[in-house]
Amino acid sequence: MGCCQQKAPENAADYVGELQITGSGVCGCSKPFRFKKRFCCGSGPAPAGKEWDAAAPGMEALLDEVDSIGEFTPACCKIADFDAAKKKLDEQWLPKVQAHLGQHGLTADIEVFWVYNGQSSSQEMRLRVYTLKLDATTLGVPATA
């Protein structure tokens, strides 16, 4: 995890891995878009472990929804507007992902950021996966007064 990444979700414990958004076509900037395992330098490791292995089959159908829900509309230079797509995914898709992952002791969030290599820049989007923090709330223990 780099110095400038957004904070992990409050209910997150250990980092499990991440999936990187990519589209089709030569540059990966055309529809359809989907979160996939690491395909380019700079991305973190793909999610792994027994919890992810149990959750992964159920994620396939959810990952298929990303393009239609995110509505990856081109902004500048025919590049998809990841900020707008993230807002839609956070509202309409991520709660379903978190519910599914939660059954396997995992949670996730979406991170959008810019990468600059000294000559050009590009926007990145990642689905970051974590184990759930085990506390009274996640275990369903009623709060005491």
Side-chain angles (χ1 to χ4, degrees):
M1 309 260 299
C3 69
C4 304
Q5 290 181 322
Q6 73 184 23
K7 196 171 143 184
E10 282 188 32
N11 63 344
D14 297 323
Y15 176 76
V16 173
E18 61 189 39
L19 299 175
Q20 184 176 10
I21 198 77
T22 186
S24 60
V26 175
C27 297
C29 57
S30 302
K31 290 173 91 39
F33 283 84
R34 193 174 204 269
F35 285 106
K36 297 181 180 180
K37 292 180 182 177
R38 180 181 180 160
F39 69 91
C40 184
C41 54
S43 7
K50 64 181 183 189
E51 294 93 347
W52 176 255
D53 291 344
M59 283 295 297
E60 288 303 312
L62 291 167
L63 293 171
D64 287 341
E65 297 176 4
V66 168
D67 187 67
S68 61
I69 292 173
E71 296 178 22
F72 291 83
T73 307
C76 178
C77 304
K78 298 184 181 179
I79 306 277
D81 182 351
F82 287 167
D83 290 318
K86 178 187 183 319
K87 184 175 180 194
K88 290 177 183 177
L89 291 170
D90 280 347
E91 292 170 358
Q92 301 173 33
W93 181 75
L94 192 58
K96 294 189 285 187
V97 169
Q98 290 170 332
H100 171 70
L101 291 176
Q103 297 172 24
H104 303 280
L106 300 171
T107 190
D109 71 353
I110 297 172
E111 179 184 42
V112 172
F113 58 96
W114 284 90
V115 175
Y116 179 67
N117 67 6
Q119 296 176 336
S120 62
S121 61
S122 62
Q123 198 173 27
E124 299 284 332
M125 180 186 283
R126 311 273 166 86
L127 176 69
R128 303 184 310 166
V129 181
Y130 298 87
T131 56
L132 270 174
K133 194 181 293 180
L134 296 179
D135 59 17
T137 306
T138 55
L139 295 173
V141 176
T144 57

